[in-house]
Amino acid sequence: MANILKAHAGARANRSTGGDIVLVICLLFLAIIFAFPLYFTIINSLKPADEFFLFPPKFYVIKPTGQNYQNLFRLMSTSWVPFSRYIFNTVFITVVGTVGHCIITSLAAFPCSKFVFPGSVGFGKLVRTSLMFSSSVTALATYIIMNAFGWIDTYWAMIIPAISTSLGFFLMQSFMGVVPDALLESATLDGAGLGRQFWTIVMPLVKSGWLTLAIFKIQELWNMQQSSYIYSETLKTMPYAISQVTSGGIARQGAAAAGSVILLIVPVVFFIIIQSNVLETMATSGMKD
Amino acid sequence: MSNALNLLGAYFKYKFKVIAKNRVNYLYVAPFFILFLIFILAPVVAAMALSLTHYNVLQPPTWAGLDNYYRLFMEDDLFIIAIKNTLVFAAIVGPGGYLLSLIFAWLINELPPKIRAVFTILFYTPSIASLACVNVFKYIFSGDSQGMVNAVLLKWGLINSPVQFFADPVVMPYVVIGVILWSSIGTGFLSLIAGLQNVDRSQYEAGMVDGIKSRWQELWYITLPNIKSQMLFAAVMSITSAFGIGVQITQYVGFPSPDYAMHTVMHHMEDYGVTRFEMGYSLAISTILFIAMIYCNKGVQYLLRRVGK
C-alpha cells in the first residue's frame, strides 16, 4: 500500500522531499507540546511519594516504582461493593452502548442519506439542530421520562441515553452521503434488497465512519462518571469508584495519578487498534466507481 | 367545493402511496426515530416550554410568559457579562479549534500511514486526557513560586513575584483559553481525518491534467470539496463545544471565577438551575444559547457553501 501511495504522491502537484521533512519536523515539535501533559501524567503515576513534590519539578522519574498502582489496587480491594462489579458495569455499558449506538444510527442514517422520501430531509435537519441544545438542561425532563418507563436505577437509564444521542446519526449521514448512488442502483438491479445493500455495500464503504464513531462512544462511556438516574452502589461505574478512592488529598495523590492513567489507557489502546483499521479501509476506497 | 375535496383526497392518496412505497425506509429509521423522539426531542421541547414559566422544581410551574427573558436582558447585569465572555471565548475557541483540526488533519494526511497513525493519536489524546491533565496543568501553572512556569520565569529574572495564573483576572483567561484550545482537537479532527482518507486519489491526477499548480489549489478545488460533509460535522462540533464552554473553566479557576472574568452563559445557567432552583430562568438562558448556536450554524453553512468555488 505504501508503494501505491508513493506512486500517487509522485504524481501530485508541487511536492518535494525537503518540504516533507520540514513538515514532519514542525509537526513533531507541535506533537511534543500536545503530548507533554499526557507524558507527565504517566510519569507522575510512576513517581514515589518523595519525588512528587521535588523542587524544581522533574520531567523524569529518578526511581520508578509501581507503588502507586499497588496502593490504588489495595484501596480498591477494600471497597464495600467488590471492585470487579464496577469494572463489569463500565465494560458492559461501554460495549452495549457503543455497538447499539453504531447500529441504530447507521440503520437510520442509511435511508435518510441515500433516498428521498417524505420526512427524510427534515428529520436530518431536526437531528442536526438538536445537537445544539445543551444536554445538561434536558436532564430534568429525561428523569421524568425515565421514571415513567420505570428505568430509574437500572442499566437502561445509562444505556438508552447513550444510544439515542444525535451525534452518530449526523456523523454516519455525512459519511454515507458520499457513497456513489450508481453502486446501490446496480445492486438493486441485481436483486439485492435494502438489507443486503446496507450490510454488504454501504457499511463496508463507510467503515472509517463507524469506526470513528466507535472511538467517540468508547471514550465517552468508559469515562462516564456517574449517572443522575442511578442510586444503587452495585450499578455505579468504575471511574466513579476510582474518583471516590482517590479523593483523599495529598496522601492519595499517587493513587490518583495511577487511576487517571488507567482511565486513559483503555480508550487510547482502542484508539490505536481502531485507527490502524481505519487506515486499512483506505486501501479499499479505490474500488469506488 | 367537491372539486377541491376531490383534489385534497387525491393528494392524500398520493402521499399515502409514496409513504407506503417507502415503508422499508421508515422501518430502518424507526428505532432511532423513536429513541430520538422520546429522549432528545421531548426533553428539548419540554425545556423550551418550561422556560416560559416560574418553576422551582418542587412546586408545579406557574405561567410567566416572557418574564424570564425580560429579566435576563433588562435586569441581570451578570448575564450580560456572561454573554460577552461567552462570545469572546467562543470566537477564539470555535474557529481556533476548527482551523487547528483542519490544518493538522490535512498535514497529517499527506504522511505515510504508520507515521500518520502516531500523529493522529498524539494530537487527539488531549481531548480524551483533558480531565486527567487538570492536575498537571495546575502544577505547571501553579500560582506559588514552585509552579513550573513561575520557577523558570523567576530563575531567568523575568518576573519578581510569582504570577497568579489561575486567579489574576487579566492573566487567567489567556492561560485557560490556551488549555482549552489544546484540548479542542477532538471529535471534528477525527472525522476530518476519516473523511480525508475516503477521498478518491485518482481525482488528484485528473486535477493535475486540468491544470492545478500548487498545494493550495489542490486543497481548495479537490480536497476540501470532497470532505465538505465532514467539515460541516466538525463545524457543528466546534460550535457546540465553543458555546458550551464552562466545565473546563470551573476546573481551573473555580466558580464563580475571580471578578467574574471567566463567567460564561453555561455557568450562569447552572448557577440558576442547580444552585438556586430557578429552573424556568435557567431554561430561558439555555434557549437563548440554543438560538445563538442555530444562527451561528447557519452562518457557518453559508461559508462552507463557498468552499471550492
Side-chain angles (χ1 to χ4, degrees):
Chain A
M1 194 173 72
N3 287 333
I4 301 167
L5 256 182
K6 267 189 194 137
H8 279 279
R12 288 170 61 178
N14 213 15
R15 293 289 190 284
S16 68
T17 324
D20 281 349
I21 291 171
V22 172
L23 185 73
V24 171
I25 291 171
C26 289
L27 280 174
L28 210 58
F29 176 72
L30 282 166
I32 288 169
I33 296 175
F34 273 78
F36 175 72
L38 185 68
Y39 163 81
F40 199 79
T41 312
I42 295 170
I43 285 296
N44 249 359
S45 76
L46 298 172
K47 282 182 179 172
D50 57 337
E51 277 184 51
F52 240 86
F53 304 101
L54 270 188
F55 181 78
K58 291 267 185 293
F59 298 112
Y60 52 88
V61 205
I62 302 167
K63 283 178 291 186
T65 170
Q67 192 65 44
N68 293 329
Y69 290 92
Q70 280 174 20
N71 276 344
L72 180 67
F73 290 127
R74 188 178 48 74
L75 287 166
M76 291 194 302
S77 65
T78 60
S79 64
W80 171 60
V81 173
F83 202 77
S84 52
R85 177 76 201 216
Y86 294 116
I87 297 177
F88 169 78
N89 289 343
T90 287
V91 170
F92 180 68
I93 292 163
T94 306
V95 170
V96 177
T98 305
V99 173
H101 184 64
C102 285
I103 290 177
I104 284 187
T105 54
S106 301
L107 274 176
F110 169 49
C112 282
S113 55
K114 290 292 25 149
F115 310 113
V116 178
F117 52 93
S120 62
V121 179
F123 184 56
K125 270 188 187 160
L126 194 64
V127 171
R128 196 192 306 154
T129 311
S130 75
L131 269 171
M132 286 170 229
F133 207 86
S134 64
S135 55
S136 61
V137 293
T138 55
L140 185 81
T142 313
Y143 185 95
I144 294 167
I145 293 165
M146 287 280 175
N147 198 27
F149 282 106
W151 284 350
I152 298 294
D153 211 19
T154 63
Y155 281 118
W156 293 114
M158 291 182 277
I159 290 169
I160 294 296
I163 287 180
S164 56
T165 49
S166 314
L167 183 104
F169 180 86
F170 185 25
L171 185 74
M172 291 318 295
Q173 206 189 14
S174 67
F175 273 90
M176 285 173 177
V178 292
V179 172
D181 290 330
L183 224 53
L184 297 180
E185 279 158 20
S186 59
T188 315
L189 286 180
D190 289 346
L194 212 58
R196 251 189 100 94
Q197 290 178 23
F198 177 71
W199 287 111
T200 60
I201 298 173
V202 176
M203 284 309 260
L205 276 178
V206 295
K207 195 177 171 190
S208 55
W210 52 263
L211 283 177
T212 307
L213 182 59
I215 295 178
F216 299 152
K217 267 294 148 182
I218 288 171
Q219 171 211 328
E220 177 198 325
L221 295 176
W222 185 262
N223 285 301
M224 190 166 79
Q225 276 271 343
Q226 194 184 357
S227 164
S228 21
Y229 318 119
I230 298 296
Y231 308 115
S232 306
E233 197 59 32
T234 49
L235 288 180
K236 284 179 178 165
T237 58
M238 189 183 69
Y240 164 79
I242 289 183
S243 73
Q244 291 298 303
V245 163
T246 55
S247 60
I250 288 173
R252 298 260 170 104
Q253 202 150 9
S260 40
V261 170
I262 288 177
L263 286 182
L264 195 61
I265 218 75
V266 169
V268 168
V269 166
F270 265 99
F271 182 88
I272 292 168
I273 296 170
I274 288 173
Q275 193 64 21
S276 57
N277 265 302
V278 170
L279 294 176
E280 270 173 32
T281 58
M282 234 201 74
T284 63
S285 66
M287 295 194 317
K288 291 196 299 188
D289 279 327
Chain B
M1 186 67 196
S2 69
N3 223 355
L5 269 180
N6 275 342
L7 213 66
L8 207 68
Y11 174 76
F12 276 118
K13 228 178 199 171
Y14 167 74
K15 269 278 164 201
F16 184 74
K17 250 189 189 161
V18 173
I19 289 174
K21 210 182 108 203
N22 285 299
R23 61 185 181 279
V24 191
N25 290 342
Y26 289 108
L27 205 67
Y28 272 66
V29 183
F32 178 68
F33 179 73
I34 292 166
L35 286 178
F36 175 80
L37 217 61
I38 299 174
F39 292 101
I40 310 254
L41 199 63
V44 168
V45 171
M48 284 167 123
L50 282 174
S51 78
L52 300 172
T53 65
H54 295 299
Y55 184 35
N56 61 8
V57 190
L58 301 172
Q59 290 161 309
T62 53
W63 181 252
L66 291 173
D67 264 15
N68 289 324
Y69 294 91
Y70 179 82
R71 241 178 91 198
L72 269 177
F73 286 104
M74 297 302 165
E75 291 162 17
D76 194 342
D77 294 338
L78 205 50
F79 179 64
I80 305 300
I81 294 177
I83 283 189
K84 272 185 201 153
N85 284 340
T86 305
L87 286 180
V88 171
F89 298 156
I92 300 169
V93 173
Y98 185 67
L99 285 179
L100 280 179
S101 300
L102 190 60
I103 290 169
F104 283 146
W106 176 56
L107 290 179
I108 285 172
N109 191 49
E110 307 263 306
L111 300 171
K114 288 224 170 77
I115 304 178
R116 175 174 56 211
V118 173
F119 275 120
T120 311
I121 291 161
L122 287 183
F123 284 127
Y124 179 66
T125 27
S127 72
I128 321 180
S130 66
L131 262 180
C133 287
V134 171
N135 284 331
V136 179
F137 275 112
K138 279 193 173 162
Y139 191 18
I140 294 174
F141 290 105
S142 168
D144 56 35
S145 58
Q146 308 210 355
M148 275 188 193
V149 176
N150 271 330
V152 170
L153 289 178
L154 282 171
K155 200 174 163 192
W156 288 349
L158 290 173
I159 49 171
N160 294 323
S161 56
V163 180
Q164 301 301 311
F165 288 108
F166 292 127
D168 185 332
V170 180
V171 185
M172 187 171 71
Y174 293 98
V175 178
V176 177
I177 292 299
V179 173
I180 292 173
L181 262 182
W182 166 80
S183 67
S184 66
I185 300 183
T187 328
F189 171 68
L190 277 196
S191 77
L192 286 171
I193 290 239
L196 280 169
Q197 280 157 12
N198 272 349
V199 176
D200 190 355
R201 258 141 244 285
S202 60
Q203 286 187 24
Y204 291 111
E205 282 165 35
M208 285 275 288
V209 177
D210 289 346
I212 281 187
K213 288 190 194 70
S214 67
R215 268 188 196 209
W216 303 112
Q217 284 187 344
E218 195 179 273
L219 177 72
W220 186 252
Y221 291 110
I222 302 177
T223 311
L224 291 187
N226 262 303
I227 56 164
K228 240 180 201 175
S229 51
Q230 279 83 20
M231 283 171 77
L232 180 65
F233 177 81
V236 172
M237 290 295 117
S238 292
I239 292 170
T240 51
S241 65
F243 279 96
I245 206 167
V247 179
Q248 268 179 305
I249 292 175
T250 308
Q251 275 164 358
Y252 288 104
V253 298
F255 174 81
S257 48
D259 237 4
Y260 290 110
M262 300 204 75
H263 191 72
T264 66
V265 173
M266 213 65 180
H267 288 129
H268 210 58
M269 193 172 86
E270 300 217 330
D271 185 21
Y272 278 92
V274 181
T275 318
R276 306 184 196 212
F277 286 110
E278 290 191 40
M279 214 54 195
Y281 197 65
S282 172
L283 291 171
I285 300 174
S286 78
T287 305
I288 287 169
L289 197 64
F290 182 51
I291 292 166
M293 283 201 230
I294 288 176
Y295 274 99
C296 197
N297 181 44
K298 283 227 164 92
V300 167
Q301 268 178 303
Y302 172 76
L303 286 177
L304 280 181
R305 245 178 264 135
R306 306 180 69 102
V307 165
K309 296 274 159 63

